[in-house]
Amino acid sequence: MNHQQTELKKDLKIRHITMISLGGIIGAGLFVGSGSLINSAGPASIFSYVFAGLLVILVMRMLGEMSIVNPSIGSFSTYARDALGPWAGYTIGWLYWFFWVIVIAVEAIAGANIIQYWFPSWPSWEVSLALTFLLTLTNLYSVKSFGEFEYWFSLIKVVSIVLFLILGGAIIFGFIPGVDSPGSSNLLHRGGFMPNGISSIFLGIAIVMFSFMGSEIVATAAGETQHPEKAIRVATNSVIYRILIFYLGSIFVLVTVLPWDSHTLLKNPFVSVLELVNIPGAAQIMNFIVLTAVLSCLNSGLYTSSRMLFAMANSGDAPRVFLKVNKKGVPVYAILGCTAISYISVFFNYLSPDKIFLFLVNASGGVALLVYLVIAFSQLRLRRKYEKENPQALKLKMWLFPYLTYATILAITTIFIFMAFIDSLRSQFYLTALIAVLVVGSFFLTKNKQQTNVLQDKKKQAI
């Protein structure tokens, strides 16, 4: 296979990377999932977002440090291989790929359910497959078309959140005629700021960590731009205000404007705020925005999983066929491979939503924490290596190294172990651990098989 056949095209622009980084963490988890967390933790749920957001900022800083030294499509899988050994790169690469192909199916199903709001007679499974097919075509056409779609999806999400924050601020400060300012009543006068105790905050942290998954996509995408260093610097520096403004700002508006024990939070908290000020078609507007968020995540999932599969093939951890690219530098077979797995997952949801598909979703639940943990361990090892061998390459450094890295490792490990003691997350903990053990085991099995084949080839040559 010649060089041209395995060369990805660097067609992503800085504006694509910037908008992907801005919109990367704004998904259905914020628009819909935040309601159930606020409902269980009360106003103190904002602490869950603060702590989880801080961890993601630290992890992104570590990833940014390594990515500037060595921009790579394989991203943290490549760094894990360099820092911890081939088994680590293999394991985290396949776990991350597994996570995203399941996300593709989950988002396709979620998108179909939203579209059924307008077209109830359309079968959910057919719409799911159609959405996946359409965005597969987008990814197959060129990386630039992926970037353009993601740019506009992200722009819609970002503008929506900014307008929501302006509206929320107007309600809080009493600038809207006929709508009374809630003041601090919803924050302090319904059982206090922490109505369900500190344990609800820790439960919230474990859940919120999964909402932030997607921040790391920028490190992968930077490998397909002409200016990777600038792209990574923009994405890494912007993650702080992305989390502060978009997530913490939105959650603060929600817990201030809406009573935390309101049943409307479980339905759709953002719709409830829009209905509070009598905006016509509030549910229709939010349905469109949530659909945009879902399609954005589906689009990113196809891109990220295919690039990870491409990188794994390049390192010998996946079949070489996934290295094949078309004339526009798109890894065709990698994209089709990820799409095929997602089609199978959608079929499982149609066939057995409460068993097979639920198993797959739960098994991928803790992967985010394992990815973040591996990034932290990799940075710990590689930073010392860079300082000895190539200190001038460290143009973006992790703060207070190594103390903040150690603190991040401790915090993520604690959260992962804590999952085993939470009823709603216990199955995710054990299934993720099981899948991780199976993947590690498969590495050593395939490695031994490869070594056996090499020895057999040598014996044949000797004869």
Side-chain angles (χ1 to χ4, degrees), residues 30 47 60 63-64 95 113 180 199 207 209 223 229 283 289 291 302 322 343 352 363 373 388 412 428 463:
L30 172 61
F47 286 149
M60 279 298 292
L63 187 56
L95 284 176
N113 292 338
D180 295 331
S199 62
I207 295 170
M209 289 297 289
E229 184 178 320
I289 294 170
L291 179 61
L302 279 165
F322 295 121
Y343 282 156
S352 177
L373 195 59
K388 286 181 180 177
I412 294 171
Q428 292 188 13
I463 293 170

Side-chain angles (χ1 to χ4, degrees), residues 81-96:
R81 177 180 299 279
D82 294 344
L84 307 172
W87 71 271
Y90 174 95
T91 301
I92 209 63
W94 279 117
L95 284 176
Y96 189 68

